[in-house]
Amino acid sequence: MELFLVPPTSCPDSTLPQPSDPPRSPWWTLCHLSHHGDQPKSPLPRSWPGQVSRFCQEMTKGKNYALPNASWGPDMLSLYHEFLEKTKTSGWVRVPSFRSNRDHIQGFKLPLDLSANSDKSDWRLFTRCIEREGQGYEYVIFFQPSEKKSICLFQPGPYLEGVPGFVHGGSLAALIDETFSKTAYLSGEGLLTVNFNIRFKNLIPLGSLAVLNVNVEKIEDQKMYLSCVTQSRDQQTVYAKASGTFLQMHLEKDSSRQ
Amino acid sequence: MELFLVPPTSCPDSTLPQPSDPPRSPWWTLCHLSHHGDQPKSPLPRSWPGQVSRFCQEMTKGKNYALPNASWGPDMLSLYHEFLEKTKTSGWVRVPSFRSNRDHIQGFKLPLDLSANSDKSDWRLFTRCIEREGQGYEYVIFFQPSEKKSICLFQPGPYLEGVPGFVHGGSLAALIDETFSKTAYLSGEGLLTVNFNIRFKNLIPLGSLAVLNVNVEKIEDQKMYLSCVTQSRDQQTVYAKASGTFLQMHLEKDSSRQ
């Protein structure tokens, strides 16, 4: 399977490497590809239904980690079913979650620099790195296409510990980044994190339920700006506030496979 | 085992919850404890040798994950031995890394709110959540007490994937946060992350070596400000730049155990 990431027009962020930087930079290579015009371009964004349905298609093989398992507590389960109802009535979409991003975006091409190390099979999306149910990340993302927002239900297991008994700040940051990433891609092909900021307000007890509320704030100059408020289910405790910027790119179909 | 976290004087950060916030907030509880003066206080910082040697003592039982294993590549191993030499000649300290922070800070007390869920034994520090050697986080931190800086050698395994073949931005953020945390504690009992910011410059190939260069920039009003530049061993590629703020607290000895 190959993937292809290409920015739509240019790479204007001054924080990104410029041509004087070392030429082995994948970022620089990505930007340079579009400047050279040696890869096909297409206008953004694509239509919602196609993009969302393509990404969110259920695979017949491979485990979908976004489905309930025996480790999910009553809070997680009841809110899950509440949002599942909204997929039937309010346009929400349950985002499937596979072992690797390779499973989500099959049949697309990746530049040479991004094809490195793709000869092995046991790769895992970081937030699905702990296989045993209930020990690590238990989460499911619901996406609302018309409002460009997501909800992520997160039940942290005991392998995500920082301060004894509580979630490691880094594990929350990683899940917010992952939820940003999926939301940015589904909302307008935002694909790679440019920057990420998080302010911690309260510690999350391991085993409890935290709810991530993600919004696309704006899309400008091929960049997407997202925000996230993480709080308890009853919204009485704010755990963290975060923001992130993603670079818009899109995946080109691998014509050699058609 | 009990722990006790207490801020030295007050909790001045306006981003932290105030007394009008819900009373179940661990942050608020922590701050409020010192306001009430119902817990012992002592001046900061403690003397370096005691603090560092106490934290960095080698345990006779339990695996120390900061030691080389068969998965470490030549780059990781050679730089490890380079810094190991510096522990003999230049005052650097190799920071041991155990399965849980509970193993690092034994015999200390935790407020009631932070004692929740401490009745089970299978907790893991998030950055040590993947047991199988070479699959997840392989890293070791060296700390330089007199200069208040650290180096973290990081060899990411295939379970830390984001873009296929490359490190998930969230997994790098989590390790930087963890290295900040250990550095902040050893440099002046900075213990809990207040905020964290990261700018991504280049993708890190899985299986390669990344070097995190962490510095304490300043200590002011019971807060510690840290920076991190993550780059390739030859310093030709900058992967990310990060900053973080930590709240100074200190662990009180559990007198009931003495």
Side-chain angles (χ1 to χ4, degrees):
Chain A
M1 192 256 333
E2 287 180 298
L3 302 166
F4 208 149
L5 313 179
V6 149
T9 53
S10 64
C11 192
D13 192 316
S14 61
T15 66
L16 295 178
Q18 301 304 308
S20 60
D21 286 353
R24 64 180 173 175
S25 150
W27 272 106
W28 179 85
T29 307
L30 282 168
C31 296
H32 214 61
L33 277 173
S34 72
H35 292 161
H36 281 193
D38 51 0
Q39 300 301 337
K41 301 172 186 175
S42 67
L44 287 178
R46 294 181 181 177
S47 62
W48 294 128
Q51 185 168 320
V52 174
S53 65
R54 185 186 74 201
F55 189 90
C56 294
Q57 62 188 327
E58 301 285 341
M59 284 167 47
T60 51
K61 58 182 180 180
K63 177 177 176 179
N64 178 0
Y65 291 84
L67 302 179
N69 64 53
S71 77
W72 287 21
D75 274 356
M76 179 88 165
L77 273 175
S78 68
L79 202 52
Y80 170 82
H81 286 295
E82 201 174 290
F83 275 93
L84 204 58
E85 274 303 305
K86 292 184 180 178
T87 64
K88 301 169 189 165
T89 58
S90 312
W92 286 80
V93 177
R94 181 184 57 198
V95 181
S97 180
F98 304 120
R99 189 185 178 105
S100 166
N101 273 329
R102 298 160 198 257
D103 300 322
H104 280 286
I105 37 183
Q106 295 185 53
F108 292 87
K109 290 198 290 184
L110 193 76
L112 277 182
D113 272 9
L114 292 181
S115 302
N117 299 322
S118 57
D119 56 332
K120 297 178 185 174
S121 61
D122 194 17
W123 312 96
R124 292 199 191 168
L125 178 67
F126 176 54
T127 49
R128 296 302 183 190
C129 67
I130 300 166
E131 186 70 32
R132 201 169 146 207
E133 290 176 354
Q135 295 299 93
Y137 282 108
E138 293 294 338
Y139 72 91
V140 53
I141 299 170
F142 289 90
F143 174 64
Q144 167 52 272
S146 62
E147 296 179 41
K148 293 190 180 66
K149 68 179 185 184
S150 289
I151 292 282
C152 174
L153 313 181
F154 173 35
Q155 181 186 290
Y159 284 19
L160 307 191
E161 191 181 64
V163 171
F166 294 88
V167 170
H168 192 292
S171 73
L172 174 62
L175 184 58
I176 294 174
D177 181 49
E178 174 60 20
T179 309
F180 275 172
S181 168
K182 292 288 185 282
T183 306
Y185 183 70
L186 293 172
S187 297
E189 299 190 335
L191 205 57
L192 290 172
T193 319
V194 176
N195 64 46
F196 177 85
N197 182 66
I198 184 166
R199 300 185 76 82
F200 296 95
K201 306 285 187 178
N202 285 285
L203 298 173
I204 304 175
L206 293 171
S208 68
L209 173 67
V211 182
L212 284 59
N213 303 273
V214 167
N215 282 282
V216 176
E217 298 294 337
K218 65 174 178 176
I219 303 177
E220 199 173 86
D221 293 334
Q222 285 85 52
K223 284 189 286 188
M224 305 186 69
Y225 299 84
L226 293 97
S227 69
C228 176
V229 177
T230 303
Q231 54 193 12
S232 57
R233 179 179 181 172
D234 62 8
Q235 303 181 354
Q236 293 301 299
T237 304
V238 173
Y239 295 125
K241 293 186 176 183
S243 60
T245 309
F246 281 71
L247 197 64
Q248 281 188 312
M249 299 179 162
H250 63 252
L251 298 171
E252 286 297 323
K253 277 202 172 181
D254 180 3
S255 57
S256 67
R257 295 166 58 95
Q258 293 179 321
Chain B
M1 193 252 339
E2 286 180 301
L3 301 166
F4 207 147
L5 311 179
V6 147
T9 53
S10 64
C11 192
D13 192 315
S14 62
T15 66
L16 296 178
Q18 301 304 310
S20 60
D21 286 354
R24 64 179 173 175
S25 149
W27 271 106
W28 178 84
T29 307
L30 282 168
C31 296
H32 214 60
L33 278 174
S34 72
H35 292 162
H36 280 193
D38 51 0
Q39 300 301 337
K41 300 172 185 176
S42 68
L44 289 179
R46 293 181 182 176
S47 61
W48 293 129
Q51 185 168 320
V52 173
S53 65
R54 186 186 73 202
F55 189 90
C56 294
Q57 62 188 329
E58 300 287 340
M59 284 168 46
T60 52
K61 58 181 181 181
K63 177 177 176 179
N64 179 359
Y65 291 84
L67 302 179
N69 65 52
S71 77
W72 288 21
D75 273 356
M76 178 88 165
L77 272 175
S78 69
L79 203 51
Y80 170 81
H81 286 295
E82 201 174 290
F83 274 93
L84 203 59
E85 274 304 303
K86 292 185 180 179
T87 65
K88 301 169 189 164
T89 59
S90 312
W92 285 81
V93 177
R94 182 185 56 199
V95 181
S97 180
F98 305 120
R99 189 184 178 107
S100 165
N101 273 330
R102 298 161 199 258
D103 300 321
H104 279 286
I105 38 183
Q106 293 184 53
F108 292 87
K109 291 198 291 185
L110 194 75
L112 277 182
D113 272 11
L114 292 182
S115 302
N117 300 322
S118 56
D119 57 330
K120 297 178 186 173
S121 61
D122 195 17
W123 310 97
R124 293 199 190 168
L125 177 67
F126 176 53
T127 50
R128 295 303 184 190
C129 66
I130 300 166
E131 187 70 32
R132 201 168 147 208
E133 291 177 352
Q135 295 298 92
Y137 282 108
E138 294 294 338
Y139 71 92
V140 53
I141 298 170
F142 288 90
F143 174 63
Q144 166 53 271
S146 61
E147 296 180 41
K148 294 190 178 67
K149 68 179 185 182
S150 290
I151 292 283
C152 175
L153 313 181
F154 173 35
Q155 181 187 290
Y159 284 20
L160 308 190
E161 191 180 66
V163 170
F166 294 89
V167 170
H168 193 291
S171 74
L172 175 62
L175 184 58
I176 294 174
D177 180 49
E178 174 59 21
T179 309
F180 275 171
S181 168
K182 292 289 186 279
T183 305
Y185 183 70
L186 292 172
S187 298
E189 300 191 332
L191 205 56
L192 290 172
T193 318
V194 176
N195 65 46
F196 177 85
N197 182 65
I198 185 166
R199 299 184 76 83
F200 296 95
K201 306 286 187 177
N202 286 285
L203 297 173
I204 304 176
L206 292 171
S208 68
L209 173 66
V211 182
L212 285 58
N213 303 273
V214 168
N215 282 282
V216 176
E217 297 294 338
K218 65 174 178 176
I219 303 177
E220 200 173 84
D221 294 334
Q222 285 84 52
K223 284 188 286 187
M224 306 186 69
Y225 299 85
L226 293 97
S227 69
C228 177
V229 177
T230 303
Q231 53 194 12
S232 57
R233 180 178 181 172
D234 63 8
Q235 303 181 354
Q236 293 301 297
T237 304
V238 173
Y239 296 124
K241 293 187 175 182
S243 60
T245 308
F246 281 71
L247 196 64
Q248 281 188 312
M249 300 178 161
H250 65 252
L251 298 171
E252 286 298 322
K253 276 202 173 181
D254 180 2
S255 57
S256 66
R257 297 166 57 95
Q258 291 180 322

